[in-house]
């Protein structure tokens, strides 16, 4: 078994000010708030999920916004860049849109033939928008001020930065079954499917022996999640990883999916998450993200938990 046909499920990062985080991803990037809940392991902080109209796997960027969180350091042993797909010909519109919001952008020259716009979110998290003609079976959100013809289609890629490429490459290629597509200049590109198309199919691994180790805090990625279609496949993955000597967690209930977690040799925390039940599990599609939702075991304390969270204005 492998996860090649499915690609990325979501990317989770750390933020500081929850209102600034929501304003940026809802208004600047035009994503939809598909779930407003809490960190199930630390319910004193929010867990925000942003995505397309229905919160399809492969479109989801999530955040733990900790007010007054210390600044992290992007570095080795981390997912250092998250790249979103936008339609071909859209980057000029995005550059103008982001400039109108005083969000600085750059066009990296070192990315070869890829047309990419780089920017940072309010906490310094590195984001890219990549113009792509790939087909994405997603439902772009047009309710956040970004027209549908320019809207984000999903997560295109993540970039892992490692001091040593060998162990990471072996896990991606041999253990997880990703396909090595290209390498050179200290960069290896893996694909999670054979077609080279679709949401979240690219993993770039950059080797930099001199890179300092990253520190996970505000402005850094916490983990990258890949997709499993259901719990039996996920459990098969868990058993296979354990048999290979990988330290992997038990299956954890995240209400909208179940999860297992493990680290690749360079230190990046990875997850395999199921596609279902989905974000409309506890609220209708038209109302996603409008109210605070808690898992059943926290619901008895809903009033107390809500009262201790900062007030955040979000769209629906």
């Amino acid at each position: 078994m492998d996860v090649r046909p499915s690609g990325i499920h979501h990317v989770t990062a750390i933020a500081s000010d929850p209102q600034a985080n929501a304003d940026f991803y809802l208004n600047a990037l035009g994503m939809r708030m598909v779930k407003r809940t809490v960190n199930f392991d630390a319910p004193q902080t929010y867990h925000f999920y942003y995505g397309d109209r229905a919160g399809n796997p492969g479109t989801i960027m999530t955040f733990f916004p900790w007010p007054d969180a210390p600044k992290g350091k992007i570095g080795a042993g981390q997912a250092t860049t998250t790249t979103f797909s936008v339609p071909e010909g859209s980057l000029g519109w995005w550059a103008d849109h982001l400039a109108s919001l005083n969000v600085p952008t750059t066009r990296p020259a070192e990315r070869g033939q890829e047309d990419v716009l780089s920017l940072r979110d309010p906490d310094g998290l590195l984001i890219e928008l990549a113009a792509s003609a790939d087909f994405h079976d997603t439902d772009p959100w047009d309710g956040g001020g970004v027209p549908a013809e320019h809207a984000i289609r999903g997560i295109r890629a993540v970039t892992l930065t490692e001091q040593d490429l060998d162990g990471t490459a072996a896990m991606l290629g041999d253990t997880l079954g990703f396909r090595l597509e290209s390498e050179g200049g200290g960069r290896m590109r893996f694909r999670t499917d054979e077609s080279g198309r679709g949401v979240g199919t690219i993993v770039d691994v950059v080797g930099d022996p001199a890179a300092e180790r990253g520190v996970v805090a505000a402005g850094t990625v916490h983990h990258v999640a890949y997709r499993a279609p259901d719990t039996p496949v996920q459990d098969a993955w868990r058993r296979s990883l354990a048999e290979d000597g990988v330290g992997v967690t038990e299956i954890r209930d995240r209400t909208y999916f179940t999860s297992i977690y493990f680290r690749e040799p360079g230190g990046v925390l990875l997850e395999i998450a199921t596609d279902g039940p989905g974000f409309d599990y506890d609220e209708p599609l038209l109302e996603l993200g409008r109210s605070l939702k808690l898992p059943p075991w926290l619901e008895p304390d809903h009033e107390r938990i809500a009262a201790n969270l900062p007030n955040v204005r979000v769209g629906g």
Side-chain angles (χ1 to χ4, degrees):
M1 287 185 186
D2 59 53
V3 292
R4 285 182 297 173
S6 300
I8 290 172
H9 186 283
H10 66 268
V11 174
T12 292
I14 309 291
S16 54
D17 180 0
Q19 186 65 64
N21 181 261
D23 289 344
F24 181 83
Y25 286 90
L26 297 176
N27 301 324
L29 294 191
M31 302 177 79
R32 185 182 190 187
M33 176 81 79
V34 296
K35 192 62 58 179
R36 183 171 19 154
T37 182
V38 295
N39 183 329
F40 290 0
D41 302 315
Q44 66 271 27
T45 190
Y46 282 113
H47 193 174
F48 292 157
Y49 291 77
Y50 307 101
D52 71 354
R53 186 180 305 274
N56 284 301
T59 72
I60 302 299
M61 186 83 189
T62 98
F63 286 88
F64 301 130
W66 294 87
D68 303 317
K71 178 73 173 175
K73 181 172 71 174
I74 296 175
Q78 290 182 345
T80 49
T81 307
T82 303
T83 304
F84 293 100
S85 283
V86 298
E88 276 192 313
S90 291
L91 290 188
W93 182 91
W94 275 102
D96 291 343
H97 167 69
L98 292 166
S100 73
L101 299 174
N102 296 315
V103 177
T105 60
T106 59
R107 302 287 278 269
E110 71 275 9
R111 296 300 294 276
Q113 297 181 351
E114 287 189 305
D115 197 4
V116 172
L117 196 67
S118 292
L119 58 138
R120 292 183 183 270
D121 80 357
D123 289 294
L125 188 73
L126 186 56
I127 299 291
E128 290 180 341
L129 303 177
S132 172
D134 289 354
F135 171 75
H136 298 321
D137 187 18
T138 58
D139 188 8
W141 176 240
D142 60 0
V146 175
E149 62 266 28
H150 300 303
I152 287 171
R153 268 38 184 179
I155 296 172
R156 174 174 170 80
V158 292
T159 300
L160 312 183
T161 297
E162 307 286 3
Q163 293 172 334
D164 181 2
L165 289 176
D166 292 345
T168 301
M171 173 169 274
L172 295 180
D174 299 337
T175 305
L176 298 180
F178 295 178
R179 173 174 58 89
L180 178 61
E181 181 178 83
S182 63
E183 60 179 313
R187 179 184 289 261
M188 304 176 75
R189 170 160 288 190
F190 290 85
R191 292 272 188 173
T192 63
D193 70 351
E194 294 297 334
S195 70
R197 297 168 65 85
V199 177
T201 62
I202 299 172
V203 187
D204 283 332
V205 185
V206 175
D208 184 356
E212 294 185 13
R213 296 289 298 182
V215 177
V216 175
T220 65
V221 170
H222 185 269
H223 65 267
V224 178
Y226 286 91
R227 296 171 62 183
D230 51 39
T231 302
V233 172
Q234 181 185 64
D235 187 54
W237 267 110
R238 186 188 61 79
R239 288 184 279 106
S240 177
L241 289 164
E243 289 169 3
D244 285 346
V246 178
V248 59
T249 68
E250 74 284 358
I251 294 175
R252 296 178 180 174
D253 183 0
R254 301 310 191 194
T255 300
Y256 314 107
F257 47 86
T258 60
S259 301
I260 59 173
Y261 301 87
F262 57 99
R263 291 189 185 275
E264 54 83 26
V268 179
L269 182 62
L270 301 178
E271 173 184 353
I272 296 177
T274 55
D275 281 353
F279 293 102
D280 59 355
Y281 173 78
D282 57 0
E283 59 186 337
L285 180 63
L286 292 177
E287 298 179 10
L288 292 181
R290 292 184 179 178
S291 59
L292 179 68
K293 294 295 180 180
L294 300 179
W297 59 92
L298 293 178
E299 188 57 41
D301 289 331
H302 190 119
E303 185 174 347
R304 179 187 61 81
I305 290 170
N308 288 328
L309 292 168
N311 183 38
V312 175
R313 303 177 305 278
V314 300

